[in-house]
């Protein structure tokens, strides 16, 4: 479990730190920090989502046949290569667009490795959970992602404090990626020593696994659509409210980058206990109910808090907004991971979840920062980012609402011959 959570944190740290450093990376690989350079950098960030569906299917099929532990080790090995490429890529003034091209390759590898990370690590956690504790164990998946935010923003805060802007652009931005490579071997050892304890279905051919996956996906298309809505809300929450926060607060609100890093880290710290609380509440009252109520709270809070910040941008107001939204985000994310995993049948759970998750993340998460950057430039309104997140959270609330009233999981699993999974309604 430690290997699963730590590896998950490092995987998302790799993604989040690139998002946090968009203002710096735009100067490194595109020779400037203007709006066009930032837009190109957000497109570069979005490249990492193009290969996530492919990675989800390939690694998902591998996990369903060989175990989630083996799939997690394979995924992290690919991720190590991508981090090394980014850390060593030459900048604009050294090699022109060659450096950006290397980063594109690295981002595609990052996306492939992350493709099945959510599905494999969450499936592993809930399969290892004792009876009646799946919600709590599954919530640790999101603790791993919150740890990635804490680690990424903490490293950014230290760099922005210790280095001048010129030093940060010259070489300091490479340090977060090099740091990830340093701690990677220990996590690989932990994951390699982990054992899957839940019985696996009998292995069949690759064609047989793919055929079962397509059959199960068609049979569960209603749940798949609801989960897609939830994933869209999660992507907007993570990649805009937190990942894009550094770019938005520094470029649009003109706040000091050092304090923005600190506030992002503080919000992630506040989020952790609420994630675990939501997992416990899910075991007690049903994860779907906790999910729906927390999404409604998040939807109600986003617009007023965004308007409060935009009306008078300051470090104090940004702190109030980020911490306030962290409470609802933590409750939402803590219930989310277990609910979207256990609604799918165990035989092809990892592959179906990885496919639905990554297709949605590619469409929403991969484009969200570029869309918000464009909306901010076109509308001239700093409220554009908050409104975008609110629309995505509304879609998630609709998905959670459908799951909350869907009452036939046991019957469908019985018809399919799959192992019954305890599902709270």
């Amino acid at each position: 479990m430690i290997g699963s959570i730590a590896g998950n944190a490092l995987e998302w740290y790799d993604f989040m730190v690139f998002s946090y450093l968009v203002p710096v990376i735009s100067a490194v690989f595109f020779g400037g920090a203007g709006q066009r350079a930032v837009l190109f950098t957000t497109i570069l960030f979005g490249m990492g989502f193009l290969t996530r569906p492919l990675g989800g299917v390939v690694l998902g099929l591998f996990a369903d046949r060989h175990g989630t532990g083996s799939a997690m080790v394979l995924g992290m090995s690919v991720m190590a290569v991508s981090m090394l490429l980014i850390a060593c890529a030459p900048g604009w003034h050294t090699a022109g667009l060659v450096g950006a091209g290397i980063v594109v390759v690295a981002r595609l590898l990052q996306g492939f490795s992350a493709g099945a990370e959510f599905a494999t690590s969450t499936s592993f956690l809930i399969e290892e959970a004792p009876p009646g504790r799946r919600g709590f164990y599954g919530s640790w998946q999101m603790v791993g992602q919150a740890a990635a935010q804490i680690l990424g923003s903490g490293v950014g805060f230290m760099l922005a404090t210790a280095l001048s802007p010129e030093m940060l652009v010259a070489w300091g931005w490479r340090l977060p990626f090099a740091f990830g490579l340093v701690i990677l071997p220990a996590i690989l050892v932990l994951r390699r020593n982990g054992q899957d304890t839940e019985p696996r279905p009998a292995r069949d051919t690759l064609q047989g696994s793919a055929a079962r996956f397509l059959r199960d996906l068609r049979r569960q298309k209603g749940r798949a659509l609801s989960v897609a809505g939830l994933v869209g809300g999660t992507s907007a929450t993570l990649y805009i409210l937190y990942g894009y926060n550094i770019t938005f607060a520094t470029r649009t609100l003109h706040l000091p980058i050092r304090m923005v890093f600190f506030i992002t880290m503080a919000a992630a710290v506040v989020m952790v206990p609420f994630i675990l609380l939501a997992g416990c509440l899910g075991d007690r009252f049903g994860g779907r109910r906790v999910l729906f109520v927390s999404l409604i709270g998040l939807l109600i809070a986003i617009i007023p808090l965004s308007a409060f910040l935009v009306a008078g941008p300051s470090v104090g107001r940004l702190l109030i907004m980020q911490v306030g939204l962290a409470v609802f985000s933590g409750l939402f994310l803590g219930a989310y991971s277990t609910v979207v995993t256990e609604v799918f049948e165990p035989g092809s759970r990892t592959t179906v979840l990885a496919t639905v998750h990554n297709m949605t993340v590619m469409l929403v998460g991969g484009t969200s920062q570029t869309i918000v950057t464009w909306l901010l430039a076109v509308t001239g309104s700093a409220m554009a980012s908050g409104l975008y997140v609110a629309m995505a959270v509304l879609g998630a609330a609709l998905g959670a609402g459908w799951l909350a009233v869907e009452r036939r999981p046991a019957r469908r699993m019985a018809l399919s011959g799959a192992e019954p999974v305890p599902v709270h309604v």
Side-chain angles (χ1 to χ4, degrees):
M1 283 190 60
I2 294 173
S4 174
I5 296 164
N8 179 56
L10 182 59
E11 186 81 62
W12 297 115
Y13 163 83
D14 191 23
F15 251 73
M16 295 303 290
V17 77
F18 191 99
S19 177
Y20 291 155
L21 292 174
V22 163
V24 178
I25 291 175
S26 64
V28 173
F29 293 106
F30 296 105
Q35 192 72 19
R36 180 175 295 182
V38 171
L39 185 64
F40 287 156
T41 308
T42 59
I43 294 173
L44 204 61
F45 174 74
M47 290 288 182
F49 295 85
L50 294 177
T51 50
R52 285 185 63 161
L54 176 62
V57 172
V58 173
L59 295 176
L61 288 171
F62 185 87
D64 286 332
R65 299 181 69 206
H66 301 287
T68 53
S70 299
M72 289 190 292
V73 171
L74 178 60
M76 290 209 68
S77 301
V78 176
M79 187 264 287
V81 176
S82 71
M83 293 185 77
L84 180 63
L85 286 174
I86 293 179
C88 298
W92 169 267
H93 296 294
T94 302
L97 289 176
V98 172
I102 293 174
V103 175
V104 168
V105 174
R107 291 293 295 156
L108 293 174
L109 288 174
Q110 279 182 337
F112 183 89
S113 69
E117 177 64 29
F118 176 83
T120 53
S121 59
T122 310
S123 296
F124 181 83
L125 288 170
I126 70 169
E127 288 167 4
E128 296 296 308
R133 301 301 303 278
R134 285 191 163 189
F136 177 70
Y137 274 60
S139 68
W140 281 92
Q141 153 69 228
M142 288 302 170
V143 171
Q145 295 201 27
Q149 292 179 232
I150 295 170
L151 189 61
S153 54
V155 170
F157 173 74
M158 289 188 291
L159 289 176
T161 302
L163 304 178
S164 66
E166 293 74 20
M167 294 169 68
L168 194 59
V169 171
W171 54 268
W173 67 273
R174 300 181 189 273
L175 297 180
F177 299 100
F179 172 74
L181 286 170
V182 169
I183 64 176
L184 179 64
I187 297 174
L188 276 173
V189 170
L190 285 170
R191 284 196 163 185
R192 191 177 297 277
N193 292 335
Q195 298 292 326
D196 294 323
T197 60
E198 181 166 294
R200 291 275 152 194
R203 297 178 185 173
D204 53 14
T205 64
L206 181 60
Q207 292 85 350
S209 298
R212 185 178 66 247
F213 154 67
L214 292 173
R215 182 179 65 249
D216 290 348
L217 182 60
R218 285 194 299 268
R219 185 170 57 247
Q220 302 175 88
K221 59 181 178 295
R223 296 182 197 177
L225 289 173
S226 296
V227 168
L230 290 169
V231 175
T234 306
S235 297
T237 300
L238 291 176
Y239 293 119
I240 298 300
L241 283 184
Y242 302 105
Y244 192 71
N245 181 53
I246 309 297
T247 303
F248 173 71
T250 55
R251 291 191 54 80
T252 303
L253 304 182
H254 306 292
L255 299 178
I257 190 170
R258 182 174 68 91
M259 293 309 300
V260 178
F261 272 123
F262 178 80
I263 290 171
T264 303
M265 178 175 61
V269 170
V270 170
M271 194 186 299
V272 170
F274 288 97
I275 290 174
L276 296 174
L277 174 62
C280 295
L281 291 175
D283 288 329
R284 177 67 179 84
F285 300 105
R288 303 182 189 195
R289 292 176 180 173
V290 176
L291 192 65
F292 183 70
V293 172
S294 60
L295 277 169
I296 295 301
L298 180 60
L299 183 61
I300 293 173
I302 287 174
I303 300 302
L305 286 175
S306 297
F308 171 73
L309 173 64
V310 170
S314 68
V315 170
R317 290 196 176 204
L318 179 62
L319 178 63
I320 292 172
M321 174 189 168
Q322 290 291 90
V323 170
L325 292 179
V327 173
F328 294 105
S329 298
L331 292 172
F332 159 44
L333 296 173
Y336 159 83
S337 53
T338 302
V339 169
V340 301
T341 303
E342 68 178 3
V343 297
F344 294 121
E345 300 168 8
S348 57
R349 172 188 292 151
T350 307
T351 314
V352 173
L353 176 59
T355 301
V356 174
H357 183 267
N358 288 301
M359 288 299 293
T360 308
V361 169
M362 181 182 69
L363 294 173
V364 180
T367 61
S368 59
Q369 295 195 3
T370 302
I371 290 174
V372 169
T373 300
W374 177 77
L375 286 173
L376 289 169
V378 170
T379 65
S381 172
M383 284 294 295
S385 61
L387 291 171
Y388 178 88
V389 176
M391 292 300 295
V393 171
L394 176 61
L398 293 175
W402 190 92
L403 286 178
V405 300
E406 200 270 330
R407 296 177 179 274
R408 294 181 295 170
R411 178 174 177 271
R412 290 182 183 177
M413 288 187 180
L415 290 174
S416 67
E419 174 192 350
V421 180
V423 178
H424 300 289
V425 179

